[in-house]
Amino acid sequence: DAGVTQSPTHLIKTRGQQVTLRCSPKSGHDTVSWYQQALGQGPQFIFQYYEEEERQRGNFPDRFSGHQFPNYSSELNVNALLLGDSALYLCASSLASARGYGYTFGSGTRLTVV
Amino acid sequence: GENVEQHPSTLSVQEGDSAVIKCTYSDSASNYFPWYKQELGKGPQLIIDIRSNVGEKKDQRIAVTLNKTAKHFSLHITETQPEDSAVYFCAARKLKAAGNKLTFGGGTRVLVKP
C-alpha cells in the first residue's frame, strides 16, 4: 500500500519564477494538506483541499495556490518565487470522515530558490 | 491562533537513559496532541498521540502526558537507543468535522550517544 508520494524530490528555481509541486495521497485518503518547513523549524500549515476545494488556509500570501483533482491528488503552485520560499514542502493526506486521524506525511519536496 | 512552544531545542542523552521533551500550547480549545519523529530526508512520522480526555498514554518505550489546566504536554522516551536519534515535533489541533490543521512546535533534535 503506497503512502503519500511527492514529486519532484528536489528542485532549484530562480527568484521570480513559478513552481508546481505534486502530491498523490495515500490510498483511501481524500484530503490533502500542504505544509512549508523552513530549515530548523517546524512545519507551517499552508492550506488543505477536500472535494477539490480549499477548505482551510494558513497565513500564506496569494502567491501560494493549489488544486485538487478528482482522483484526490493535489498540486501546490508558488508564483513570483522569493529567496525566503526555500524550504521543504510537505504534503499530508487523511480521510475526512476520520476527522484528521491517520494523518500521513510524504517525504517532501526540497525547493531551493537562488 | 494556536501557538505551540517546544523545549529543549536540542537534547543529548547517553544510550539507555531517558529523554523528556516538553511543549506548551495557547488555545484551550485544542484537544488533540500528536508527536512526530522526523529523520533526515524523510517526512514527519506519527509516533504517539493523545486526546484531551486522557492524561497519559504509553506505547512500549514511549509515553505522553497531558496537563490540560496548565496547557502542557510532554514526550517521555525511556531506555533510549541510537535509532531514537532524530528531530521530534509536538503538535496541537482542534478536532472538528471540517479542517484539521496541525500547529507544530519548533522541534527538538535528539542525539543518543552509544
Side-chain angles (χ1 to χ4, degrees):
Chain A
D1 181 21
V4 178
T5 305
Q6 291 188 243
S7 64
T9 54
H10 295 85
L11 201 54
I12 299 175
K13 288 286 189 178
T14 304
R15 273 182 300 175
Q17 284 189 317
Q18 179 264 345
V19 68
T20 297
L21 311 181
R22 295 176 176 81
C23 172
S24 292
K26 181 178 178 179
S27 178
H29 284 183
D30 56 10
T31 302
V32 173
S33 303
W34 288 92
Y35 289 79
Q36 180 195 66
Q37 186 177 22
L39 200 60
Q41 297 183 23
Q44 299 288 319
F45 176 77
I46 303 174
F47 44 52
Q48 182 186 84
Y49 276 85
Y50 172 65
E51 292 187 331
E52 302 180 48
E53 291 189 356
E54 184 182 290
R55 185 160 73 171
Q56 193 176 17
R57 189 178 182 93
N59 208 16
F60 279 79
D62 292 344
R63 298 186 298 109
F64 291 76
S65 63
H67 188 78
Q68 186 180 34
F69 299 93
N71 66 353
Y72 308 119
S73 67
S74 177
E75 288 181 348
L76 164 66
N77 300 293
V78 187
N79 294 323
L81 284 166
L82 304 173
L83 295 178
D85 294 331
S86 295
L88 180 68
Y89 288 85
L90 294 163
C91 170
S93 72
S94 56
L95 183 62
S97 60
R99 300 180 71 198
Y101 294 110
Y103 220 74
T104 304
F105 282 89
S107 292
T109 294
R110 172 72 63 188
L111 172 65
T112 302
V113 182
V114 297
Chain B
E2 173 69 277
N3 183 48
V4 178
E5 299 283 340
Q6 183 171 348
H7 300 280
S9 57
T10 59
L11 182 59
S12 182
V13 297
Q14 209 64 39
E15 182 178 357
D17 287 350
S18 295
V20 180
I21 303 170
K22 298 182 179 182
C23 289
T24 60
Y25 61 99
S26 61
D27 189 346
S28 56
S30 290
N31 53 11
Y32 175 66
F33 306 93
W35 285 88
Y36 289 87
K37 177 182 182 182
Q38 187 173 28
E39 296 174 303
L40 201 60
K42 298 184 179 180
Q45 180 181 16
L46 179 69
I47 56 172
I48 196 168
D49 56 13
I50 191 168
R51 302 185 207 184
S52 60
N53 59 349
V54 175
E56 184 176 0
K57 182 177 179 180
K58 289 183 181 179
D59 182 4
Q60 299 181 343
R61 297 185 296 108
I62 294 174
V64 57
T65 58
L66 172 65
N67 182 328
K68 281 192 303 181
T69 303
K71 290 190 273 188
H72 288 174
F73 58 114
S74 300
L75 177 71
H76 303 253
I77 307 173
T78 58
E79 300 173 19
T80 53
Q81 301 168 4
E83 52 264 38
D84 294 329
S85 296
V87 180
Y88 291 80
F89 292 97
C90 60
R93 175 163 68 80
K94 284 177 268 194
L95 287 172
K96 57 180 181 177
N100 45 49
K101 162 192 169 182
L102 282 168
T103 301
F104 285 85
T108 297
R109 184 173 298 277
V110 174
L111 175 62
V112 179
K113 295 179 288 186

